[in-house]
Amino acid sequence: MLAIRNLSIAFPGPAGPARVVDDVSVAVGRGESLGIVGESGSGKSMLSLATIGLLPGSARTSGEILLDGKDILRLRERELCSLRGRRIGMIFQEPMTALNPAMTAGQQIAEGIRLHRTVGRSEARAEALRLLDRVRIPDPARRIDSYPHEMSGGQRQRVGIAIALALKPDLLIADEPTTALDVTVQKEILDILDELVADLGLSLILISHDLGVIARSTDRTLVMCRGRAVEEGPTETVLRHPSAQYTRDLIAALPRRARAGLGDEARHAAGGAR
Ligand SMILES: Nc1ncnc2c1ncn2[C@@H]1O[C@H](COP(=O)(O)OP(=O)(O)OP(=O)(O)O)[C@@H](O)[C@H]1O
Ligand SMILES: [Mg+2]
């Protein structure tokens, strides 16, 4: 469904253009989940922003990002607008920044529904309620009229997912969706994402610096280091039998208990690091 081919992204700098994504190729099939992992600054967010056509204006790109054969890098703003949301939904790390503080959860979800489909106000509200139920917000009938500041971080992230789902996208991109949340809520949010992939057949790109998150929720994994793809393959293979030294180092950097969760092979691959 999505094929990124030889993607490079560069920003002009004093010493010439600085490449922040360097010749990356990766594909995501329908109903498939791709994890992207790598240290801070490795280009994960730039890759995902390019995929929804939201790179900063100064960014220069080469290569292709094909969504059903159409190159996103060559679309006009109008075409991009209809693609964002309707085909690709985005979930952000800190839901508060993505939500409008002056609108209730229901209004924000309904706004998305009505932007792309001709449905009446009450129908959009009924759909918003269904979506809030889908992301398992406690007491959705009450929460639909809550403002973001009246909700917990986990509830806000659920609203963020409901907004992304409102437009019925085929691909969800979640950039560190659980980093700001405690582990219990993190698990609940990942459960919801897993369900969406399994039940609705959505494709998912899940960006995380947490290998545990990648291990539990993705089919394939792309490991990035300084803009380059150092390794890509089935998640189990990448985590259990990493071929790149960089991946072994990432695994070795995990606390021992987390490493144990990835399996014996990961521990061996980490070279017996403690
Ligand atoms: N507007 C910009 N102009 C120039 N360079 C930028 C710009 N935005 C980001 N960069 C650089 O691009 C590189 C990749 O950034 P990116 O945000 O993709 O990293 P990341 O892998 O998502 O990191 P993190 O895990 O911290 O979110 C970084 O070195 C960053 O400094
Ligand atoms: Mg990032």
Side-chain angles (χ1 to χ4, degrees), residues 122-196:
S122 63
E123 200 183 325
R125 185 177 163 91
E127 170 91 15
L129 194 59
R130 274 197 295 278
L131 284 167
L132 285 173
D133 197 39
R134 183 107 201 35
V135 296
R136 288 200 237 109
I137 277 225
D139 199 0
R142 192 162 77 88
R143 281 296 159 218
I144 192 167
D145 295 316
S146 295
Y147 289 90
H149 73 268
E150 298 171 319
M151 290 182 249
S152 70
Q155 289 167 350
R156 287 199 284 263
Q157 192 55 296
R158 285 170 217 266
V159 172
I161 298 173
I163 290 174
L165 287 179
L167 306 171
K168 301 190 191 295
D170 310 302
L171 169 67
L172 270 186
I173 302 178
D175 191 350
E176 303 275 7
T178 60
T179 307
L181 306 171
D182 72 55
V183 284
T184 330
V185 181
Q186 165 168 320
K187 184 184 171 301
E188 290 164 8
I189 297 287
L190 291 174
D191 284 344
I192 291 169
L193 293 179
D194 293 349
E195 260 177 44
L196 295 174

Side-chain angles (χ1 to χ4, degrees), residues 38-224:
E39 67 195 357
S40 185
S42 55
K44 307 182 296 292
S45 292
M46 286 300 133
L47 184 85
S48 66
L49 288 176
T51 306
I52 49 168
L54 280 181
L55 280 176
S58 57
R60 293 291 163 265
T61 57
S62 64
E64 295 178 318
I65 302 178
L66 299 172
L67 183 70
D68 293 336
K70 261 198 183 173
D71 188 355
I72 291 173
L73 294 176
R74 277 166 192 77
L75 294 183
R76 289 166 207 284
E77 187 54 34
R78 271 188 59 161
E79 297 169 291
L80 278 175
C81 266
S82 95
L83 183 114
R84 280 197 286 269
R86 209 171 41 77
R87 300 298 315 281
I88 307 178
M90 182 94 191
I91 299 164
F92 296 92
Q93 172 170 347
E94 182 28 82
M96 201 60 194
T97 57
L99 298 179
N100 184 336
M103 285 168 77
T104 65
Q107 285 167 342
Q108 301 189 53
I109 301 167
E111 186 181 52
I113 296 169
R114 298 190 72 200
L115 204 62
H116 286 263
R117 281 184 280 155
T118 42
V119 297
R121 211 171 274 278
S122 63
E123 200 183 325
R125 185 177 163 91
E127 170 91 15
L129 194 59
R130 274 197 295 278
L131 284 167
L132 285 173
D133 197 39
R134 183 107 201 35
V135 296
R136 288 200 237 109
I137 277 225
D139 199 0
R142 192 162 77 88
R143 281 296 159 218
I144 192 167
D145 295 316
S146 295
Y147 289 90
H149 73 268
E150 298 171 319
M151 290 182 249
S152 70
Q155 289 167 350
R156 287 199 284 263
Q157 192 55 296
R158 285 170 217 266
V159 172
I161 298 173
I163 290 174
L165 287 179
L167 306 171
K168 301 190 191 295
D170 310 302
L171 169 67
L172 270 186
I173 302 178
D175 191 350
E176 303 275 7
T178 60
T179 307
L181 306 171
D182 72 55
V183 284
T184 330
V185 181
Q186 165 168 320
K187 184 184 171 301
E188 290 164 8
I189 297 287
L190 291 174
D191 284 344
I192 291 169
L193 293 179
D194 293 349
E195 260 177 44
L196 295 174
V197 172
D199 300 351
L200 304 180
L202 291 188
S203 308
L204 174 71
I205 296 180
L206 178 60
I207 298 173
S208 180
H209 64 273
D210 184 339
L211 283 172
V213 167
I214 298 284
R216 64 152 281 177
S217 291
T218 66
D219 304 318
R220 299 183 69 81
T221 296
L222 167 70
V223 183
M224 290 186 68

